[in-house]
Amino acid sequence: MSEIADKVKKIVVEHLGVEESKVTPEASFIDDLGADSLDTVELVMAFEEAFNVEIPEDAAEKITTVKDAIDYIEKQKVA
Amino acid sequence: MNVSNRERAGLLLSAGLNSERRRVVVTGMGIVGPLGLGVENVWSRLTAGESGIGRITQFDPSDLPAQIAGEVPQGPTSEGKLTLEEWVPVKDQRKMDRFIHMGLVAATEAVEDSGWKPQSEEDKCRTGVMIGSGIGGLQTIYDASITVHEGRARRLSPFFIPSALINLVSGHVSIKYGFQGPNHSVVTACASGVHAIGDAARLIMFGDADVMVAGGAEATVCPLGIAGFCSARALSTGFNETPQAASRPWDKDRDGFVMGEGSGVVVLEEYEHAKARGAKIYGEIIGYGMSGDAYHITAPAEGHYGAYRAMRAAIQSAGLTPADIQYVNAHGTSTMADDMELEAVERLFGDDARTVAMSSTKSATGHLLGAAGAVEAIFSILAIRDNVAPPTLNLDNPSRESVIDRVAHTAQQRQINVALSNSFGFGGTNASLIVRGV
C-alpha cells in the first residue's frame, strides 16, 4: 500500500473510531464505517490538512469511500 | 411587606391548582462535580465536611488573579472519580464541549438510577429532557476563535456549533435514550439548574410529559471563564495558597466565589406513573417560585427583595408557610451578596427563622454556575432523606450575626421534612424550589 493510502487509513481510524481491519478500500464512510454527514465534512478537512491539498466541495461530495479519497489525493499529488 | 390583593389572588390561584395539579416526584439522581462522581459518594464527602477545591489543573493559571477551582477529579470509578471514556465514547468526546460531557455523565447516572427505560413509542414520547447551562461551550468557542483568527476559518470543525450550543446536553441525552418528549433547555446564568427542574416539573404538572430528565451542566474552568469572572471582580483571589479555605459564605474574610464544574441531573416523574411501576421515590417537588430584580446586571438590590419574592412565591405555590420549612440550601456564593440573601430569609421567616437551618454547600463544591441549582436541589432532597443539614465550611467569623443556624463547619442531625433551595443569577434572575419527603 502506498504512503498516501496508509495515511488516509490512519486518519479514518482516528476520526471515526473504527477498527483498522474495517477500513478497506471499498469501505463507504457512511454505509460501512458509521460516519454521518458532519463526520465526512470533518474527514475531508483532515485530508486537506494532512496532505496540504484543497478539496473543493463538489469533489468532496464524490469522495464516499476510502478508495475515493486515496485516488483523489494521489491525483492531486501527481499533478 | 403587606400582601396586596393581587398577591392574594395569586395565592388563591395556586391553592386552587394545588388540589388538582399532577404531583411530581424525583425517582433518579446523578451528580458529577468537585466532590467526585456519584450521588452517594458526593453526599457522604459533603456531610463529612470535605472540600473539592484545589489549584487549577486543566491549564496553567499562573497569569490569573484566581488560580483555584472545584474541578471534577479524574480517576477510577471505584474511587468515585471520573473516567470519561466509560461514559462518553472516545470518538464522540471531541464532538462535544466538556459541559456536555458533564451533563451526559450526570444524566446517565440519573436515568440508570431511576430504572426508567421506556421501550414503547408512546412511553418514549411522554419522556422529555430539560438540562440547562449558564454559559455553554466556552472553551470550544475560544478554540474555534483562534482557528478563525489564524486565517483558517475553512478548517473550522463541523462540530463546533453543536459542541457549543447549550441545549445540546438535552439533545444528546434524548438521542442516547430515545426520549422523544419535550426537548428543552434553560439559560439563566447561575439560576439555570433550579429553573430547569422547576420548569420541567411544571411540564409534568400540566400534562406535557410524564417523565422529565432535568438539571444543569457547566464546565468553565478554562482561561476565558476564569479571566472573565476575575474581570467582573467576582472570584476569590486571596486564597490561592489555601484553596480549601477560599469558599467561605457569610464569613467576614470572604472575597469572592470559587468556580466549580460538573453537573446535577434528576429524573422527575408524575407521582401515579412512578407508583405504578414501583419506582423508588426520593422526594416531591412541591413549590417553585421565580422573580426578577430589575435592578443591576450583576448585583442584587439592597435587601434582596428579588430573592424574597422568589422564595415567597415558591412557598405560596406549595401551599405552605415558612414555619413548615426546616432547611434552606442558600445560594450563598461567598460574595458580598451572602448577607443580602440572609437578610431576605430572615425577613421572610420572621420568628420562624430561629428554627430553620440554612447552609451553603458551595463552601465545599465551589459555585457550579448553571449546574449549581440542580446539584443543590439533590442535596436538599438528601437532607430530607437522612435528616442531615450539610455544613457551611470556613464560616469562622460571620460578617453579620443572625438567629438562623448556618451549620458552620460540621453537618447537623436535624428533623427535616421540607427544604427550600435558592439560586440567583446575573441579570437579576431568582428562583426557589421546595422539596419534601414522600
Side-chain angles (χ1 to χ4, degrees):
Chain A
M1 210 186 265
S2 72
E3 201 180 306
I4 287 175
D6 270 348
K7 213 161 155 188
V8 165
K9 207 168 157 179
K10 211 176 142 214
I11 290 168
V12 173
V13 167
E14 221 168 80
H15 278 259
L16 301 183
V18 290
E19 280 174 37
E20 216 178 310
S21 60
K22 288 194 175 153
V23 188
T24 59
E26 296 75 29
S28 153
F29 298 128
I30 289 176
D31 297 335
D32 302 318
L33 302 176
D36 63 21
S37 59
L38 293 181
D39 287 316
T40 60
V41 172
E42 198 187 38
L43 260 185
V44 166
M45 278 186 190
F47 295 146
E48 288 182 319
E49 187 93 355
F51 296 102
N52 199 22
V53 294
E54 283 280 327
I55 307 179
E57 218 162 295
D58 51 344
E61 276 167 19
K62 293 187 190 110
I63 299 176
T64 62
T65 66
V66 177
K67 187 174 184 301
D68 292 340
I70 296 168
D71 288 351
Y72 186 87
I73 294 160
E74 279 180 342
K75 218 179 288 167
Q76 297 296 305
K77 283 295 177 190
V78 173
Chain B
M1 263 188 142
N2 292 321
V3 178
S4 70
N5 284 334
R6 184 172 295 178
E7 282 161 6
R8 262 192 214 101
L11 191 61
L12 288 173
L13 177 66
S14 55
L17 282 172
N18 255 337
S19 54
E20 291 166 27
R21 73 186 181 199
R22 286 153 45 103
R23 295 172 63 185
V24 179
V25 294
V26 177
T27 57
M29 307 195 290
I31 294 182
V32 60
L35 288 172
L37 172 78
V39 168
E40 298 303 334
N41 167 52
V42 168
W43 177 242
S44 71
R45 292 193 65 197
L46 179 76
T47 51
E50 293 182 42
S51 164
I53 313 299
R55 188 173 172 84
I56 290 170
T57 62
Q58 290 176 66
F59 65 95
D60 178 6
S62 305
D63 291 346
L64 293 166
Q67 300 169 4
I68 57 172
E71 295 181 303
V72 171
Q74 314 288 309
T77 309
S78 59
E79 290 175 22
K81 295 176 180 172
L82 180 65
T83 302
L84 188 59
E85 51 269 36
E86 288 178 12
W87 301 83
V88 184
V90 173
K91 75 176 170 66
D92 293 334
Q93 285 177 16
R94 65 191 165 79
K95 300 176 183 176
M96 312 166 192
D97 185 88
R98 184 171 170 85
F99 85 101
I100 301 178
H101 298 159
M102 296 295 143
L104 264 175
V105 171
T108 301
E109 196 192 335
V111 171
E112 301 295 328
D113 181 41
S114 75
W116 177 240
K117 296 281 184 61
Q119 299 302 317
S120 76
E121 202 64 9
E122 195 192 342
D123 282 345
K124 287 179 182 172
C125 291
R126 297 292 298 164
T127 305
V129 190
M130 179 155 3
I131 298 172
S133 179
I135 296 181
L138 197 58
Q139 179 65 33
T140 294
I141 294 169
Y142 176 91
D143 292 339
S145 305
I146 288 174
T147 303
V148 174
H149 181 73
E150 287 171 344
R152 292 154 29 87
R154 289 166 57 95
R155 289 275 182 271
L156 204 53
S157 164
F159 297 105
F160 161 55
I161 297 291
S163 179
L165 291 180
I166 282 176
N167 69 302
L168 263 279
V169 182
S170 295
H172 279 290
V173 171
S174 74
I175 293 163
K176 176 167 183 174
Y177 288 105
F179 297 153
Q180 297 168 55
N183 199 268
H184 209 327
S185 192
V186 172
V187 184
T188 50
C190 303
S192 304
V194 160
H195 274 133
I197 294 174
D199 288 358
R202 293 216 166 154
L203 291 188
I204 295 174
M205 285 176 191
F206 281 84
D208 297 282
D210 293 326
V211 181
M212 289 293 297
V213 180
E218 203 80 78
T220 48
V221 182
C222 58
L224 202 53
I226 298 289
F229 280 101
C230 274
S231 292
R233 301 292 184 269
L235 292 183
S236 167
T237 57
F239 295 87
N240 288 333
E241 305 309 316
T242 51
Q244 301 203 339
S247 188
R248 41 195 319 115
W250 299 298
D251 187 82
K252 71 174 177 47
D253 292 326
R254 68 190 186 277
D255 70 339
F257 78 80
V258 177
M259 177 106 63
E261 64 170 2
S263 175
V265 174
V266 294
V267 175
L268 301 176
E269 192 164 347
E270 194 272 325
Y271 179 56
E272 297 298 335
H273 187 278
K275 255 196 346 190
R277 70 179 184 92
K280 85 176 156 291
I281 295 174
Y282 286 102
E284 180 174 2
I285 310 291
I286 56 168
Y288 176 43
M290 296 161 277
S291 74
D293 289 345
Y295 175 70
H296 186 268
I297 51 172
T298 61
E302 199 62 42
H304 218 327
Y305 281 93
Y308 176 89
R309 287 185 290 109
M311 288 188 280
R312 191 182 55 186
I315 290 169
Q316 285 178 350
S317 82
L320 300 177
T321 67
D324 299 313
I325 294 164
Q326 293 85 32
Y327 174 65
V328 175
N329 188 297
H331 184 57
T333 56
S334 186
T335 60
M336 292 322 290
D338 297 354
D339 283 345
M340 296 157 90
E341 178 184 14
L342 175 62
E343 199 189 321
V345 173
E346 285 172 345
R347 193 181 321 118
L348 183 68
F349 278 68
D351 286 343
D352 299 317
R354 294 174 186 283
T355 55
V356 75
M358 171 159 80
S359 63
S360 170
T361 48
K362 289 186 180 79
S363 59
T365 63
H367 187 358
L368 275 65
L369 310 182
V375 168
E376 290 159 18
I378 293 172
F379 292 159
S380 300
I381 288 165
L382 293 169
I384 294 165
R385 185 192 70 179
D386 294 353
N387 286 308
V388 168
T392 304
L393 305 184
N394 303 312
L395 180 49
D396 299 334
N397 300 295
S399 57
R400 185 181 186 285
E401 291 304 324
S402 174
V403 296
I404 296 177
D405 189 330
R406 280 168 282 174
V407 201
H409 304 302
T410 47
Q412 292 177 8
Q413 200 75 38
R414 301 175 79 110
Q415 182 69 36
I416 301 174
N417 305 319
V418 179
L420 180 150
S421 187
N422 279 337
S423 285
F424 315 132
F426 279 4
T429 177
N430 312 295
S432 301
L433 197 68
I434 299 180
V435 291
R436 75 165 172 215
V438 173

